[in-house]
Amino acid sequence: MKKGDYFVIAAVLLVCPLLFLPSFLPSDKKTAEVYIDGEKVRSVSLTSLQVEEHFSAAGCEILFEKDGASFLKSDCKDQLCVRCGKLKNAGDSMACVPNKVVLTVKAEKNDNYDIMAY
């Protein structure tokens, strides 16, 4: 290997971890969104939420809290969505497939960086 090869390898090893750094940075503003059959039906800002909030639709009951969102009840057979627990981090999502309900936690864009990798 030549001297230039070592420089390229060192540069790649230094840059790669920086690409994943934004996904570990905390976000100030989180929003939980509920989609039914691919259509957004509810969006709740978890950051500005003062008291817990319940939402029922399509056979599912969803609980929104300041620190996350979760499925409380579902009329589906498996109950995987209920057993999933609380979605807390940006990018977390869970689906109740039989009822076609998707719950997702998203973060607003943080101006400290240009790109976010999930």
Side-chain angles (χ1 to χ4, degrees), residues 5 8 20 35 42 44 47 58 62-63 68 73 75 96 104 110-111:
D5 294 337
V8 170
F20 295 99
Y35 294 87
R42 184 72 187 251
V44 175
T47 308
I62 299 172
L63 174 66
K73 297 178 188 173
D75 61 3
C96 182
T104 303
N110 193 340
D111 294 333

Side-chain angles (χ1 to χ4, degrees), residues 64-80:
F64 300 104
E65 297 175 296
K66 190 167 185 73
D67 62 338
S70 60
F71 283 93
L72 281 182
K73 297 178 188 173
S74 178
D75 61 3
C76 64
K77 180 176 143 186
D78 302 359
Q79 297 290 308
L80 291 176

